[in-house]
């Protein structure tokens, strides 16, 4: 594996209470990225991040976690590489910066911040049942909505091509 | 002035093409914060940030800009304090972290990231014609929508009380 | 006061056990900066930082603290502006970046990191009984050694002129 | 490979003018880390960083670069993982934070900042012909001086054990 493959970030809630269907979708996204030879980047914690990593790991893919805290041990068990940054929420900007494309699966405010930071940087963001954005009552279709993990992987790889 | 006054961040687009009504609203928000004795925190650049600073400065208030780049000179002319961070977009997290409350005036993706980072940190965010959020077709009313600069200032000071 | 005055960072140990002579020197540096109309930037905590702020505040000067943690309350009582960054040690780079010149008073490893980051950025660093650097047994005179607080202030303002 | 192996950062100048003996030492350090099954962490650029990565890659080891800029392409060609942070010099703190131990090979001010940040965090730092530190005319032996790449690897792995 090398540093020239596509890096796709999978972003979503780290909560253990994440809905089962989101976890299943994340796992399938992770598996799909691995099968396509992409590196999975994420925030390294639980919930959607862990599910995506598990999916990638099961398919022999590579997983990288950019952690908010200072200890590698806070990363989930499916990470090949864990980078504890000690930056707190500012690490969300590092995830967006390091990714060629992002796939958001549901998610709370941290996920929304990663979506927004990525869009600010001009990176493609694909969404599965995630945040819907509007201004003045009009939808802002900046996040590319897809309806399956397979479509999420395909669109992310296509749009993230460098 | 001291470090114990309320710090309210005014966030919004830095673009010179920002709508005149957003600039007018930002200026009035800045004036209102100054009159209430609050310190205005912002990203230090143009557009909404500059308009808010101008309003605050005109009313004798204090203005602080947390800049993304490395040079103080990139700050607008109404700043009392300019902190060039050199952090790029990660400085959005510093703005959210340093504020007791935030007021979003319209805004693009950078503003959305600051809204989301602040919500992730549990900070109150008041919005004037800014991003509307939803998931699964249901509005997520995390940003407190107000319909006037005066109401924005009142709500931010009330909710940001420490 | 405005954002165009010189910003001089005073860096040194935050420890309550800092030697009395270092605290006295820091206080005099703070006073001198205030009398010269400069803004004092620092890490916002105790020890040398607090002594410098006390000196500046006593002479009517302006003090800014860039804090490593997430709460303004961790700043010392002499700060006019406290910016909690939530960045941990990475905030040391923000201090170096935001300063026109730095004055190191004694100091431990955190201070050494700020000296080094500032030198990496090409900023002038003046030292009072602080770190001495060498490579291959040869002194590296990158820090401008002075022997009094007055000289420290003079050299920092002279070298930090923009 | 997994996230639980030792992560040892090799820090040093990124300059193409780095002395040949430093590059040779860095390459041997990289090779030694790979042979010991450690992951090599670095700033991802040229000079000492690239030499260390080349050494590790030649021995089948894993290399991670934490880049200051925003583009993966600025990383050297021997990186398995490149993380562009967009944080500028603040990324030096991430390198120190993510490492279990650091090996400094010669180096300029950026290297000195990484040494200092790591010492501030309580991480072991081993040095090969690198910065020598003193205060008040007395050497401060915080960097563990060794006289061969082999000794550097041994000491770093021993001290970085978690």
């Amino acid at each position: 594996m090398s540093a020239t493959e596509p890096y796709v970030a999978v972003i979503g809630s780290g909560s253990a209470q994440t809905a089962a269907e989101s976890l299943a979708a994340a796992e399938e996204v992770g598996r799909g990225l691995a099968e396509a030879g992409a590196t999975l980047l994420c925030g390294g914690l639980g919930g959607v991040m862990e599910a995506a990593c598990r999916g990638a790991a099961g398919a022999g893919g590579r997983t990288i976690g950019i952690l908010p805290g200072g200890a590698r041990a806070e990363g989930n068990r499916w990470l090949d590489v864990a980078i504890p940054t000690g930056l707190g929420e500012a690490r969300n900007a590092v995830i967006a910066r390091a990714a060629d494309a992002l796939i958001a699966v549901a998610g709370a405010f941290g996920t929304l911040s990663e979506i927004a930071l990525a869009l600010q940087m001009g990176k493609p963001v694909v969404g599965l049942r995630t945040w819907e954005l509007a201004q003045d009552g009009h939808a802002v279709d900046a996040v590319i909505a897809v309806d399956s993990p397979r479509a999420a992987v395909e669109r992310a790889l296509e749009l993230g091509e460098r």
Side-chain angles (χ1 to χ4, degrees), chain A residues 6-106:
Chain A
Y7 281 22
V8 179
V10 179
I11 57 178
S13 172
S15 166
Q17 269 77 52
T18 303
E21 69 173 339
S22 293
L23 297 179
E27 184 162 354
E28 197 176 334
V29 165
R31 192 182 312 122
L33 289 171
E35 288 169 355
T39 287
L40 188 159
L41 194 68
C42 70
L45 302 177
V48 157
M49 300 174 250
E50 182 166 7
C53 289
R54 188 173 52 233
R62 189 166 69 159
T63 58
I64 302 174
I66 310 288
L67 299 160
R72 233 192 301 156
E74 73 188 39
N76 71 58
R77 56 182 291 214
W78 307 101
L79 295 174
D80 290 314
V81 173
I83 305 290
T85 63
L87 296 171
E89 290 85 358
R91 79 81 152 79
N92 296 3
V94 176
I95 294 173
R97 181 54 74 193
D100 296 315
L102 297 88
I103 298 173
V105 180

Side-chain angles (χ1 to χ4, degrees), chain A residues 105-121:
Chain A
V105 180
F109 298 125
T111 305
L112 178 60
S113 77
E114 292 161 336
I115 290 172
L117 288 160
L119 293 173
Q120 185 183 13
M121 296 170 189

